[in-house]
Amino acid sequence: MEIEFGHVKDYKENGFGFLSRTFRNPQGRVWFHITKIKCKYPELAKGLDSGSYSDIKFWYEVDKVNGKKQASQLWLDSQDIPEDKREELVKYVEGIWSNTSNKIIPGWLDRITIALVGQARRDELFKNRSSILSSLKRLRKAQSLANESSSDHDSNAAISLDYIRKLQEQARIVKREAQRERQIPSTRDRFRAERGVIEAIFASSEMHGLPLELQRIVRRCPRGSRTNPLSHQPGGSDVVVAYSLGDAILYDWIKNVNWYISSFEREDPGFHLHIMSIYGRFYEDPDERGIGVFCPIWTRDKHGALKSSVKACVSRYQRQMEIGHTTLHQQAKEYWKNKYSLSEQEVESLPTLYKQYMKERGDNLLD
């Protein structure tokens, strides 16, 4: 399987069509069916059915079924591509920048790179590539001068052996520089260097652990509408409730999640019928909130829609908090390890690094 990017080249009334390709076999095309789009992007599906598809572009996964290549998954945004597949694609694209044996880069490389890793990283890759090419040019020039000087030595005694050796040494130095510059740092290497790990985690507004589709729509419940005095005191848990109508609300600084969720049900006995999922983020120390990780408490798909199921899941979460859960509980540790390829020691140091980082920035950790 592979990831591709392309636009809708053709679409038939019976629901199938073809997508163009970018990375491999650019002249080729890949089969797709409207059902793959309807489930994720119903409005786009309507556009296709109406015959308006010339500007529709997708990232998609190519799979081979019964000998025919077809799009098995589609995404409008590169950030929605599963992390492992996206990292593989980033590695492939960045490899093209570092491959200086090809003097001409594909016309699509700029826009694809920006879409995947942003303008800043694209500029960094361009700068590194230019530096490598410049070093290689100096290397060829130095080698040429050394060769010319060596061949002229027999007929021109004025050129000393020391001068020839100097040119040859210069060529070796330039070659070593080119080899070093060819090694464009990976995402993880950049992440480690010069506080990159700190910036990557702490400067982000990402609600770690919360699914991307909820991060896009979640909004905080206004503090003024919170009637419990404890909800105005930092600490405890943050809870995100996703509703069936497409809303997601963040209720923060909750001291007893079990009691809080039960209060919804006391006001509306059918509350459990109107929600799709509940996620919780616990932080032992209010100053560690930024490294807390949202974990699923209850989801309709996994646990069912019964009221008893919601109660059981919420009660279990509350018990876990009460028996000594820490900000970096096991699920949170696994998240940081998998998300940023951190070691156990690096994960353990996150609270200290985070507090130091926020202090240097002068930010209020409790906001």
Side-chain angles (χ1 to χ4, degrees):
M1 289 184 282
E2 59 186 284
I3 302 298
E4 264 288 359
F5 179 78
H7 64 272
V8 178
K9 294 184 71 172
D10 192 18
Y11 181 70
K12 307 296 183 183
E13 291 182 357
N14 57 4
F16 75 84
F18 293 93
L19 296 167
S20 67
R21 304 191 64 150
T22 296
F23 308 124
R24 300 171 179 87
N25 187 20
Q27 303 306 317
R29 59 182 192 170
V30 176
W31 185 92
F32 78 95
H33 196 271
I34 189 67
T35 53
K36 296 293 183 182
I37 299 176
K38 279 185 176 179
C39 60
K40 277 189 173 182
Y41 312 110
E43 293 302 318
L44 279 181
K46 290 179 182 178
L48 280 171
D49 285 333
S50 68
S52 175
Y53 57 80
S54 59
D55 295 328
I56 298 178
K57 299 177 181 178
F58 289 102
W59 302 88
Y60 61 93
E61 185 173 37
V62 182
D63 202 357
K64 201 168 187 178
V65 179
N66 297 326
K68 180 173 66 176
K69 289 190 175 182
Q70 58 182 265
S72 57
Q73 295 189 71
L74 302 100
W75 307 276
L76 280 177
D77 191 332
S78 66
Q79 301 303 315
D80 293 336
I81 301 173
E83 188 174 352
D84 57 335
K85 295 181 174 66
R86 185 174 177 277
E87 286 183 356
E88 187 176 339
L89 180 59
V90 169
K91 184 178 180 181
Y92 169 75
V93 170
E94 293 193 351
I96 296 175
W97 284 101
S98 63
N99 182 11
T100 52
S101 60
N102 291 328
K103 298 298 184 291
I104 301 176
I105 59 175
W108 50 261
L109 189 58
D110 264 342
R111 57 186 173 85
I112 291 295
T113 304
I114 293 170
L116 277 174
V117 295
Q119 183 71 50
R121 178 59 174 162
R122 178 267 170 203
D123 293 344
E124 182 182 357
L125 291 164
F126 177 81
K127 181 180 178 181
N128 284 339
R129 178 181 174 85
S130 299
S131 180
I132 292 171
L133 291 173
S134 177
S135 294
L136 290 173
K137 185 177 180 180
R138 295 200 311 272
L139 170 62
R140 287 191 293 269
K141 183 177 180 180
Q143 288 176 330
S144 176
L145 286 172
N147 292 337
E148 289 175 6
S149 299
S150 180
S151 62
D152 290 345
H153 178 67
D154 293 336
S155 59
N156 187 358
I159 299 179
S160 67
L161 285 174
D162 288 341
Y163 178 65
I164 295 174
R165 293 192 185 100
K166 185 177 180 181
L167 289 174
Q168 290 173 335
E169 177 60 24
Q170 181 183 356
R172 284 192 289 270
I173 292 173
V174 173
K175 185 176 182 179
R176 285 196 296 270
E177 289 177 354
Q179 289 172 339
R180 283 197 300 269
E181 290 167 349
R182 188 184 298 275
Q183 298 171 354
I184 297 177
S186 66
T187 302
R188 185 179 182 188
D189 291 336
R190 289 186 293 111
F191 173 73
R192 295 269 188 272
E194 298 179 1
R195 294 169 55 88
V197 60
I198 301 174
E199 291 290 342
I201 296 176
F202 305 149
S204 168
S205 59
E206 179 178 354
M207 301 176 74
H208 294 289
L210 195 67
L212 287 175
E213 61 269 21
L214 293 185
Q215 290 192 43
R216 293 193 183 98
I217 62 173
V218 68
R219 54 189 176 87
R220 179 187 290 183
C221 180
R223 187 76 58 204
S225 65
R226 308 285 293 278
T227 57
N228 190 325
L230 292 176
S231 296
H232 295 255
Q233 299 175 12
S237 289
D238 295 340
V239 171
V240 170
V241 178
Y243 293 86
S244 54
L245 292 179
D247 292 332
I249 308 297
L250 167 66
Y251 304 95
D252 57 4
W253 297 356
I254 297 175
K255 307 307 181 292
N256 188 310
V257 174
N258 193 22
W259 185 91
Y260 195 84
I261 297 299
S262 296
S263 70
F264 286 96
E265 199 165 330
R266 287 193 291 273
E267 295 177 7
D268 177 11
F271 168 72
H272 63 287
L273 300 175
H274 310 316
I275 59 176
M276 299 301 295
S277 60
I278 303 173
Y279 285 79
R281 172 176 67 182
F282 175 78
Y283 38 99
E284 184 181 24
D285 182 339
D287 289 350
E288 296 175 353
R289 186 183 186 192
I291 58 170
V293 175
F294 279 97
C295 298
I297 297 176
W298 169 88
T299 63
R300 180 186 293 268
D301 291 342
K302 181 178 180 180
H303 301 103
L306 294 177
K307 183 186 299 186
S308 58
S309 172
V310 178
K311 286 185 174 181
C313 290
V314 174
S315 296
R316 181 169 60 248
Y317 176 84
Q318 185 62 43
R319 286 196 301 272
Q320 289 175 330
M321 300 306 107
E322 292 172 350
I323 61 175
H325 234 25
T326 63
T327 304
L328 291 176
H329 52 79
Q330 192 56 42
Q331 279 183 280
K333 287 182 179 179
E334 291 303 316
Y335 169 85
W336 291 118
K337 289 178 184 177
N338 296 331
K339 175 78 172 180
Y340 293 105
S341 301
L342 297 182
S343 66
E344 184 76 28
Q345 185 177 3
E346 288 170 328
V347 171
E348 294 293 346
S349 68
L350 283 177
T352 302
L353 289 173
Y354 177 67
K355 292 175 185 178
Q356 180 182 354
Y357 173 78
M358 298 303 282
K359 183 178 180 181
E360 290 175 0
R361 281 186 47 175
D363 287 3
N364 186 348
L365 295 169
L366 304 181
D367 285 344

